């Protein structure tokens, strides 16, 4: 079954919500592991069932314009003796898509977002 062009699957909605949540905590951009950690905190970790699931969804979101992404400076990774990270940030188009997908979101996501706003 094919999905409608422009529609988001639940994992993509959860990723966008996690990016908004992280931004609310002062994290403007997040790498994949941090996004996965936030998904688990939001109760959406069960959607990360297969290797690469998160990264395929991030690719789709970037292709649709819902997120921007960039590679970090190689010198930073070298100084910290680790691989480079790819950072992701939600765009205005992503925020609009998330707002349109509102009814698909779980009660836990809505409750956590409401708590962060107070």
């Amino acid at each position: 079954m094919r999905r409608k062009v422009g529609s988001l699957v639940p994992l993509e909605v959860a990723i966008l919500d996690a990016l908004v949540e992280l931004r609310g905590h002062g994290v403007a951009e997040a790498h994949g592991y941090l996004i996965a950690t936030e998904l688990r905190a939001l109760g959406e970790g069960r959607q990360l069932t297969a290797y690469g699931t998160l990264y395929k969804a991030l690719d789709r979101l970037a292709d649709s314009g819902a997120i921007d992404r960039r590679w970090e400076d190689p010198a930073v990774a070298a100084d910290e003796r680790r691989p480079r990270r790819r950072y992701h940030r939600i765009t205005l188009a992503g925020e609009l898509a998330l707002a349109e997908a509102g009814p698909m979101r779980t009660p836990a996501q809505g409750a956590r977002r409401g708590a962060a706003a107070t």
Side-chain angles (χ1 to χ4, degrees):
M1 179 166 123
R2 294 192 177 215
R3 66 180 168 152
K4 187 171 83 174
V5 175
S7 66
L8 299 172
V9 297
L11 177 57
E12 294 165 347
V13 172
I15 290 168
L16 293 176
D17 198 53
L19 288 170
V20 168
E21 185 74 22
L22 287 165
R23 186 178 60 199
H25 294 289
V27 180
E29 339 177 85
H31 54 81
Y33 183 77
L34 182 58
I35 294 169
T37 301
E38 184 65 17
L39 288 172
R40 287 184 196 96
L42 290 171
E44 296 295 329
R46 70 185 181 288
Q47 294 186 35
L48 302 175
T49 57
Y51 176 78
T53 304
L54 174 65
Y55 296 98
K56 289 176 187 174
L58 287 168
D59 286 342
R60 289 190 305 268
L61 289 168
D63 290 345
S64 74
I67 62 171
D68 281 334
R69 55 189 180 177
R70 68 169 182 88
W71 285 102
E72 78 175 331
D73 183 342
V76 172
D79 287 347
E80 296 180 12
R81 299 178 189 239
R82 60 167 173 74
R84 285 172 63 196
R85 294 175 176 158
R86 192 168 210 180
Y87 287 95
H88 307 83
R89 146 182 100 69
I90 192 168
T91 63
L92 180 58
E95 290 183 34
L96 294 172
L98 183 60
E100 289 176 10
M104 280 180 26
R105 294 177 38 227
T106 65
Q109 289 172 321
R112 182 158 176 187
R113 177 178 282 190
T118 57

